[in-house]
Amino acid sequence: MSHYVLDILGNSVRAGARVVRLTITESPGENIYRMVFEDDGKGMSPELLEEVFSPWMTTRRERRIGMGLPLLKQGAQQCGGDLVVDSTPGVGTTVTVAFEYAHLDRPVAGDIAGSVVMTAASAPDIVFLYTHTTDKGTYRFSTVEVEEALDGVSLTNPSIMRAVQEMIRENLDEIGAGLDERTVLHNDMI
């Protein structure tokens, strides 16, 4: 999932967003893994929104194929979920993707912390807000709070990036985020 997170957050950056929100809800109890990406970027016209799931459509100049959203939508649908994009020109875009949590083919989370920090460091003028909720609790991350705590030290500093990633990972571990039942089951069998 972290590769998709990196791709969609990057889309928000390229869309000129000032604030980007990522909200992840993972609940084995409710059998849901949901990611909601919200930005206040330039948004998409109705015509572009109609084409957004075409694998051959992209707004990028350096790469002519936009496979991220079509592949993610296909994967979500194969796992009992879906992907929906809502966008208004001049207002922003919301991408919501959901999977059945327990579905055997649901991709594992991967390094969400790394994707969030890498994107935030690449766009220091954008506010990134990340909320992750599990059945055990909620963790919230804000680049505004991190910048205040760093007192002028840049998040682009590699040692700061590593420290912030580790902080996020530790907090996610506390709430059991990314603890995939398939992994736990596999590890119990070994």
Side-chain angles (χ1 to χ4, degrees):
M1 301 277 200
S2 61
H3 296 292
Y4 292 114
V5 169
L6 191 61
D7 187 42
I8 296 172
L9 292 178
N11 289 345
S12 294
V13 169
R14 285 185 294 282
R18 293 177 315 265
V19 178
V20 178
R21 288 179 179 81
L22 168 59
T23 305
I24 297 178
T25 305
E26 63 176 288
S27 173
E30 294 180 25
N31 196 27
I32 187 77
Y33 190 101
R34 179 183 317 109
M35 297 187 296
V36 180
F37 302 83
E38 300 171 276
D39 72 47
D40 63 351
K42 64 183 177 185
M44 290 183 265
S45 68
E47 296 79 24
L48 182 57
L49 196 54
E50 284 182 29
E51 298 287 323
V52 78
F53 294 114
S54 168
W56 313 117
M57 195 288 294
T58 184
T59 58
R60 294 186 197 143
R61 304 263 186 257
E62 70 276 2
R63 192 174 71 187
R64 296 288 181 207
I65 298 176
M67 297 295 280
L69 288 178
L71 287 175
L72 184 56
K73 182 175 180 79
Q74 179 184 8
Q77 290 174 335
Q78 289 174 338
C79 295
D82 203 1
L83 186 148
V84 177
V85 178
D86 181 41
S87 190
T88 304
V91 175
T93 300
T94 300
V95 175
T96 304
V97 60
F99 299 82
E100 286 182 9
Y101 181 89
H103 198 286
L104 184 63
D105 293 326
R106 179 182 57 82
V108 295
D111 186 12
I112 302 286
S115 294
V116 169
V117 171
M118 186 179 307
T119 307
S122 73
D125 295 334
I126 298 175
V127 173
F128 287 90
L129 305 169
Y130 166 41
T131 303
H132 200 121
T133 301
T134 68
D135 292 344
K136 291 176 66 177
T138 298
Y139 170 67
R140 288 180 178 81
F141 170 83
S142 164
T143 54
V144 172
E145 291 175 9
V146 170
E147 289 169 6
E148 288 173 4
L150 292 174
D151 195 28
V153 179
S154 175
L155 185 59
T156 61
N157 178 310
S159 61
I160 297 296
M161 285 177 65
R162 282 190 296 278
V164 172
Q165 286 174 3
E166 189 56 35
M167 176 196 71
I168 294 172
R169 288 181 189 121
E170 288 173 4
N171 281 282
L172 293 178
D173 285 347
E174 281 186 28
I175 63 168
L179 248 186
D180 191 317
E181 288 180 339
R182 295 166 295 183
T183 304
V184 172
L185 179 62
H186 174 75
N187 289 342
D188 288 344
M189 298 172 96
I190 295 177

